[in-house]
Amino acid sequence: KILDLWEYSSRVIDGSKDEWKKIDWSLNAYVPASEADVYARNKDSRVATGIVVPMTFASLETFLTYFWSTFIQDPIHRYKGYGENRVGAMLMERLISKQGQWFKEPLKLDTMWRDSLTYGFGAAHLGWSKKRVKRRISSEVDELLYEALKDTPFKSQIGDIVRYMEDGVAYEGNELTSIDPYRMFLDPRVSPNDYQKSGFIGWVDDGDLYELMEREQDPEEGIFNMKYVAEFADRGLSFSRFHSDETGRNTRQQTENILLESGEKYSSPPVHLVHMYMKVIPAQCGLGPSEYPEVWEFTIAGDTIIIQADQLDLDHGMYPIVMCAPNTDGHSVMPVSYLATTYGMQKYIDQQFRFQEEEQRTCINNKLVLDPNVFEMADVLDTKNGGIIRARRSSYNRPLAESIFQLPVTPVTQQNINNAGVMIDLMRQANGTTDITMGNLSNMPERPTATGIDAAKSGALSRLQRIAQIVGRQAMDDIAWMMAYNTIQFMSQDAYAEIGGRYEQQLRKAYGVPNGMPGEITVTPFDLQPYFDIEPRDGTLPNSENAQAWTTIMQTMLGIEGVGQQLMAQSDVMKIFTHWARIMGARDIDEFIGGGGQMPQVTPMPDEQVMQQVEAGNLVPMQNMQGMAV
């Protein structure tokens, strides 16, 4: 049934792969030369062939740069708690941030975003991983250890200190694994916006026999039947008919057939794995008595042997797969990517440069019409002698200009560069990656005003902001939910959370850590509860607000008598300051605030009330505070 579902899904996905290959070609720095290019290069190695103008690549880099600026901040995922779980949500945020550093989450997000812009959708698998290490343990020899060691080469006496190695877990947490769109299969009945409602979802990847055998020893992995897989792998039967490398990514490096001197492959036998999450009725499949749908996880090795079959019992109740498709229309199963929409323009631009290059090559490489009875043909064909062509003695009295002349070349590509420039501008407008989004203000009017620049910048970035918001709702929100619930469900040992960050003052107060004192908080699995919410990103850049406008507003308001006192009484001055500092470019204002302590609480009072409090001894003038301990 699993393999049948793959066949069902591949009928939809295979139709898009030819389009994907063309986009890969336009993004590839290495372009396979055509037969004509090879011939020209063999004649002259200096000839430029296979010109590809990297406009598609530039658009992709602009998108990705905006995504990094928007999402890759500390923390990537933000949480807020309710009631008694406010501190728990703060700790969760710090733990998830630490896990992202351990397992290199930004790199996996970059791959998913890149795939979504290139192929129309990008996906990643979210699992719980542990970094296992060897720890050196020092222990005093007691009677029990002495009896255990006395018959071994390691002689020791009671009271000696011995050191030994012990398996341990350095850290654990959520880890994203990129999924290649070429090897993924989707439910053709749902759009990317509703992929969590799919009846099935899965992918194919390359497995390593030795790694799988090691994982089988861990009961948490739930892997079995590896001895049969090993037998099939030794006979070369561990491949899947659904596994293919149609991208051509390994064509240039030719990494598929690397052999050792002995003739054997450099790694352990490969095992192709088909991973599938699907809804099944256990009673109908012989998997249990339940007659209601359940989500199960299956893994098949080499299309033959099931090595994993478990009910997917995750607290978050979702497929552990995240997917984003920023150009989806909400209906299509396979959306068109942003880069595919301008592929025709990219091809036209490359063609314009190529035609001009071919014309120049024709002009430079002289095509002569001559009488072979008049000239020494060896001199005509050989240019090593400096271009000297000897005339035969019998033609000395003949006008040589009548016996040799160059074929005229009519220039037809004079406007090619201009045509390509027009198409480049259209391509940037179609993708929303105009000059101003790339930081190029050379095309702005002469002496533009600050207001004009801000308006142009805001309009240019609004399209990228919308795309980032779609990606945030499709993938980033789901990642935040899954990571939090996985941490609550699978965290098996205590971890340390840094006390700095957004909630530094609240955490210091909750755990009694004085201001100015560095510290970390020990977080146990019992400190985390599923009572929290996420704070979605709005898709804007951190410093995209008009800082000059904020500064002008604040200066104007504070210049009015009485407004400053009213702001101090009714507003959180510290929050206003930190917001202003961030849009002015300060990246980690929390660090400065945490080290310097909290802002004093300011309470405006009428003059008469202040005098009464001074006389009563409840208030002390500021000049009298010098030298007093705080």
Side-chain angles (χ1 to χ4, degrees):
K1 182 174 182 178
I2 294 171
L3 300 182
D4 287 344
L5 287 176
W6 172 267
E7 295 279 6
Y8 172 56
S9 175
S10 63
R11 297 171 191 169
V12 177
I13 296 181
D14 288 350
S16 301
K17 290 183 178 179
D18 290 339
E19 176 184 293
W20 295 351
K21 295 174 189 176
K22 295 176 183 178
I23 302 300
D24 285 330
W25 181 87
S26 65
L27 293 173
N28 199 345
Y30 171 81
V31 180
S34 64
E35 293 183 4
D37 291 337
V38 173
Y39 176 76
R41 191 173 296 169
N42 289 336
K43 292 184 63 177
D44 188 351
S45 62
R46 298 168 297 178
V47 172
T49 59
I51 295 177
V52 176
V53 182
M55 293 310 305
T56 300
F57 179 79
S59 297
L60 176 61
E61 289 295 295
T62 302
F63 283 123
L64 293 177
T65 301
Y66 189 91
F67 288 173
W68 273 77
S69 300
T70 300
F71 296 116
I72 306 303
Q73 304 173 36
D74 186 25
I76 297 177
H77 310 289
R78 300 188 175 191
Y79 301 86
K80 58 183 178 181
Y82 299 102
E84 298 179 355
N85 196 50
R86 293 184 185 277
V87 174
M90 299 174 192
L91 297 177
M92 177 71 73
E93 182 173 294
R94 301 312 303 158
L95 285 181
I96 298 299
S97 177
K98 215 173 187 68
Q99 293 172 14
Q101 298 174 12
W102 289 336
F103 294 102
K104 299 178 174 60
E105 180 186 0
L107 299 181
K108 313 300 177 59
L109 292 175
D110 182 86
T111 301
M112 181 180 67
W113 298 334
R114 179 181 291 268
D115 289 342
S116 70
L117 296 166
T118 304
Y119 308 117
F121 75 92
H125 175 262
L126 182 63
W128 187 261
S129 298
K130 296 181 179 180
K131 176 61 176 179
R132 302 186 183 277
V133 294
K134 297 283 188 179
R135 290 197 175 102
R136 298 183 181 273
I137 306 298
S138 299
S139 179
E140 182 178 351
V141 177
D142 54 14
E143 294 183 0
L144 182 61
L145 184 57
Y146 173 77
E147 292 295 330
L149 295 176
K150 70 178 183 179
D151 295 330
T152 67
F154 304 98
K155 303 298 182 181
S156 61
Q157 301 297 325
I158 296 177
D160 291 347
I161 302 298
V162 296
R163 301 185 69 191
Y164 58 93
M165 303 297 293
E166 182 180 71
D167 292 333
V169 176
Y171 52 82
E172 59 181 347
N174 293 278
E175 181 176 16
L176 283 171
T177 303
S178 303
I179 300 178
D180 190 344
Y182 279 92
R183 299 177 183 175
M184 192 171 184
F185 52 101
L186 306 170
D187 188 343
R189 299 173 300 173
V190 298
S191 74
N193 285 343
D194 301 317
Y195 71 96
Q196 286 293 343
K197 298 180 181 179
S198 302
F200 65 91
I201 190 169
W203 73 99
V204 181
D205 69 359
D206 298 295
D208 181 87
L209 176 63
Y210 299 157
E211 179 188 2
L212 290 170
M213 295 176 69
E214 290 177 356
R215 291 172 57 190
E216 186 181 24
Q217 302 175 33
D218 187 350
E220 295 182 2
E221 295 284 352
I223 293 179
F224 52 88
N225 279 342
M226 284 310 302
K227 64 178 181 180
Y228 304 111
V229 176
E231 294 177 5
F232 273 65
D234 290 339
R235 291 184 288 171
L237 301 176
S238 59
F239 299 95
S240 171
R241 68 179 183 272
F242 304 116
H243 181 284
S244 63
D245 187 8
E246 302 179 40
T247 65
R249 297 187 186 114
N250 296 326
T251 301
R252 176 164 60 101
Q253 295 85 358
Q254 298 180 352
T255 56
E256 296 179 351
N257 299 314
I258 296 179
L259 301 178
L260 301 175
E261 293 182 359
S262 61
E264 298 180 356
K265 288 192 174 182
Y266 68 93
S267 63
S268 63
V271 179
H272 293 166
L273 303 176
V274 176
H275 302 275
M276 170 75 84
Y277 295 104
M278 59 186 298
K279 296 176 181 178
V280 300
I281 297 178
Q284 297 179 358
C285 304
L287 297 175
S290 177
E291 297 182 356
Y292 293 93
E294 297 175 354
V295 178
W296 278 62
E297 174 185 8
F298 299 97
T299 302
I300 303 178
D303 294 349
T304 307
I305 302 172
I306 294 180
I307 65 172
Q308 196 170 20
D310 291 304
Q311 182 181 358
L312 194 63
D313 188 20
L314 298 175
D315 287 358
H316 54 67
M318 306 165 68
Y319 290 122
I321 289 179
V322 293
M323 188 165 67
C324 60
N327 200 35
T328 181
D329 57 9
H331 305 288
S332 304
V333 178
M334 299 298 298
V336 178
S337 71
Y338 273 99
L339 301 187
T341 58
T342 56
Y343 172 75
M345 296 181 181
Q346 174 69 64
K347 191 174 181 179
Y348 178 84
I349 295 169
D350 296 339
Q351 188 182 61
Q352 293 299 299
F353 279 91
R354 185 179 182 86
F355 284 167
Q356 186 175 55
E357 184 263 341
E358 290 178 352
E359 182 179 284
Q360 292 174 348
R361 188 191 306 173
T362 302
C363 293
I364 295 174
N365 298 328
N366 298 332
K367 289 189 175 182
L368 303 177
V369 178
L370 56 85
D371 185 350
N373 296 319
V374 177
F375 303 97
E376 295 288 347
M377 291 305 298
D379 294 346
V380 176
L381 299 176
D382 185 7
T383 60
K384 295 181 180 179
N385 56 6
I388 298 176
I389 300 177
R390 294 171 293 174
R392 297 181 186 275
R393 182 180 297 274
S394 59
S395 63
Y396 280 177
N397 296 325
R398 298 176 55 181
L400 298 181
E402 298 179 357
S403 302
I404 183 172
F405 61 90
Q406 180 179 351
L407 285 177
V409 178
T410 304
V412 295
T413 63
Q414 295 179 350
Q415 297 298 320
N416 278 28
I417 301 299
N418 293 333
N419 294 340
V422 172
M423 195 60 64
I424 288 174
D425 290 339
L426 291 175
M427 188 174 180
R428 288 175 175 174
Q429 293 178 22
N431 280 330
T433 54
T434 55
D435 288 337
I436 195 168
T437 62
M438 298 181 179
N440 181 9
L441 302 180
S442 60
N443 292 327
M444 292 288 291
E446 185 178 358
R447 296 181 180 178
T449 63
T451 303
I453 294 177
D454 289 337
K457 183 179 178 181
S458 177
L461 295 179
S462 60
R463 291 184 63 183
L464 298 181
Q465 179 182 346
R466 170 185 168 273
I467 298 172
Q469 284 183 316
I470 294 175
V471 171
R473 300 298 82 76
Q474 289 176 331
M476 302 303 292
D477 291 356
D478 287 353
I479 292 175
W481 278 109
M482 293 184 194
M483 284 187 168
Y485 275 97
N486 283 350
T487 302
I488 295 173
Q489 183 176 2
F490 298 115
M491 184 174 171
S492 61
Q493 62 182 18
D494 295 350
Y496 292 97
E498 297 178 0
I499 202 169
R502 290 203 305 154
Y503 299 119
E504 179 173 353
Q505 293 302 323
Q506 293 93 321
L507 290 175
R508 287 184 181 276
K509 181 178 179 181
Y511 287 89
V513 180
N515 286 319
M517 294 292 293
E520 294 181 340
I521 302 171
T522 302
V523 183
T524 70
F526 304 101
D527 294 329
L528 306 176
Q529 299 294 331
Y531 306 110
F532 58 85
D533 203 349
I534 60 173
E535 295 183 7
R537 302 279 187 180
D538 59 4
T540 60
L541 297 177
N543 56 347
S544 60
E545 293 188 57
N546 191 330
Q548 185 61 39
W550 267 86
T551 303
T552 303
I553 291 173
M554 293 300 296
Q555 289 176 345
T556 303
M557 293 178 64
L558 294 176
I560 302 175
E561 184 179 357
V563 172
Q565 292 83 346
Q566 187 176 359
L567 281 175
M568 297 286 281
Q570 300 182 2
S571 305
D572 191 327
V573 180
M574 197 65 213
K575 289 184 178 179
I576 295 176
F577 168 75
T578 54
H579 181 74
W580 175 81
R582 286 193 181 98
I583 64 177
M584 288 297 292
R587 300 189 60 85
D588 193 5
I589 190 64
D590 295 312
E591 179 180 350
F592 299 101
I593 299 173
Q598 297 177 329
M599 284 285 292
Q601 181 66 36
V602 179
T603 305
M605 294 183 180
D607 294 343
E608 297 181 357
Q609 185 177 355
V610 172
M611 295 301 298
Q612 294 175 0
Q613 294 294 325
V614 171
E615 293 177 359
N618 297 328
L619 295 179
V620 180
M622 289 294 296
Q623 59 269 23
N624 296 343
M625 295 291 294
Q626 297 181 4
M628 296 180 62
V630 180

